[in-house]
Amino acid sequence: MSENDHEAQRAKAVEIAERHLKAMNKKHAEALVKGVVRHALACGARGAVIKRDDVMKRVLHVGQHSKTYAAVFERAQAVLRSLFGMEMTRLPNKATSRAKKNQPKDAPVQRFDFILRSIVPKKETEPFINANIALNRDGVGVPKRTLLCIVLAVILAEKRKITADALYKHLEIIGIFRQSSHTIFEKVEDVIAEFIKDEYLEKLKNDELSNPTSSQKTTSLAAGVDEIIWGPRAKVEFPEAEVMQFIAKMFPESDAANIEAILSQVA
């Protein structure tokens, strides 16, 4: 099924759901929309994924209002965009999920998981890292988010994939060592594993590359990891063009020609 077919199918689902929604009491319908908005904002505050199944269970109460899902989602999306400058953005499939299902690399997205992200235009002069760090009240998330920006930049500069060993060698340049406890991150392997769990990074194991039917999953980088790539959340939250500009600014002007050559190969 093509992307156009999926869009037509979605539009039809919204049309049918709108009929069910309009048949309801107006205040009740508005309460459902507000419920989805609150759920999305709560997930966004925690950095959690918004799952369709959770919306159906916690807001629409499966069996009662499930037929209104498509319309309620669209209305909630409109509220988030107009009042909060946010939107629920669908996450793409994982590369390993595609391999296990034997789907072509350019297969249309079938996933029903979303993340809440800002649609407010960033200032052109705003530094890449500053614009992409979620400032927690206690400041805990800041160092990890900064490290994530650096890791994503390294992976992109390495033509979108890198081995675990090569990644840690790059991190040693900025004083983060795999075998030593860091003053901020403590064990960096645990932080990288957290990025994988949160789908900012994705690992491709040797057995997953050679055996698409393998169901083995782990967030440990210690055994069998072949390559690390950007995960679904990184692809949504971090525009490659901005990361490329960030990479270029990390190097002195004397290296500009070399960096431009690297980025031209990545693009």
Side-chain angles (χ1 to χ4, degrees):
M1 186 179 292
S2 69
E3 193 65 40
N4 289 338
D5 291 335
H6 278 293
E7 181 57 30
Q9 191 177 61
R10 187 196 67 80
K12 185 65 175 177
V14 171
E15 180 184 343
I16 295 172
E18 272 289 351
R19 289 202 291 267
H20 288 287
L21 195 60
K22 288 177 180 178
M24 293 174 55
N25 176 279
K26 186 176 180 180
K27 288 186 177 180
H28 195 177
E30 290 176 351
L32 293 179
V33 174
K34 290 178 181 178
V36 174
V37 170
R38 285 195 294 268
H39 178 73
L41 291 173
C43 288
R46 302 195 314 269
V49 173
I50 303 164
K51 297 180 178 293
R52 183 178 66 172
D53 289 348
D54 289 342
V55 172
M56 297 283 276
K57 183 193 302 183
R58 299 176 185 178
V59 182
L60 303 183
H61 308 295
V62 177
Q64 295 184 37
H65 310 300
S66 56
K67 291 181 179 180
T68 67
Y69 170 80
V72 170
F73 183 92
E74 287 299 313
R75 291 192 187 186
Q77 189 80 290
V79 172
L80 288 167
R81 288 168 177 158
S82 61
L83 295 183
F84 298 95
M86 312 281 284
E87 73 175 8
M88 293 178 282
T89 303
R90 191 192 296 264
L91 289 173
N93 289 329
K94 289 184 178 181
T96 48
S97 297
R98 242 184 341 249
K100 289 174 186 177
K101 294 177 182 177
N102 197 29
Q103 295 177 341
K105 196 170 184 179
D106 58 349
V109 174
Q110 296 292 324
R111 194 173 179 181
F112 292 98
D113 296 336
F114 306 80
I115 59 168
L116 192 66
R117 70 181 186 94
S118 173
I119 57 173
V120 177
K122 298 172 185 174
K123 297 178 182 178
E124 292 184 6
T125 57
E126 191 172 12
F128 169 74
I129 284 186
N130 289 354
N132 287 286
I133 293 177
L135 297 175
N136 297 343
R137 290 181 181 178
D138 56 4
V140 171
V142 176
K144 287 184 180 179
R145 191 72 171 183
T146 304
L147 178 61
L148 175 60
C149 291
I150 294 171
V151 168
L152 293 176
V154 168
I155 294 173
L156 185 60
E158 292 289 330
K159 300 182 180 180
R160 297 191 178 88
K161 57 186 178 181
I162 192 171
T163 64
D165 287 341
L167 174 61
Y168 288 118
K169 285 181 180 178
H170 279 286
L171 294 180
E172 288 178 4
I173 298 173
I174 57 174
I176 300 175
F177 296 89
R178 188 177 190 176
Q179 304 302 330
S180 304
S181 178
H182 191 269
T183 54
I184 297 176
F185 305 113
E186 296 184 356
K187 193 175 180 182
V188 68
E189 283 185 308
D190 290 343
V191 180
I192 298 297
E194 184 179 324
F195 293 158
I196 293 171
K197 181 181 178 181
D198 291 341
E199 297 192 33
Y200 285 108
L201 301 178
E202 185 175 354
K203 57 188 169 82
L204 303 179
K205 294 177 60 180
N206 286 324
D207 59 346
E208 287 177 331
L209 294 174
S210 59
N211 179 16
T213 61
S214 172
S215 59
Q216 182 178 359
K217 292 183 178 180
T218 176
T219 55
S220 171
L221 296 178
V225 171
D226 183 44
E227 293 174 332
I228 299 174
I229 61 175
W230 282 29
R233 290 192 68 161
K235 293 173 183 176
V236 170
E237 294 185 27
F238 297 88
E240 283 194 356
E242 291 184 10
V243 181
M244 289 180 180
Q245 291 174 6
F246 169 65
I247 295 170
K249 291 178 180 178
M250 288 174 64
F251 294 87
E253 292 183 7
S254 58
D255 291 337
N258 292 334
I259 300 306
E260 287 181 7
I262 292 173
L263 296 182
S264 66
Q265 292 176 8
V266 173

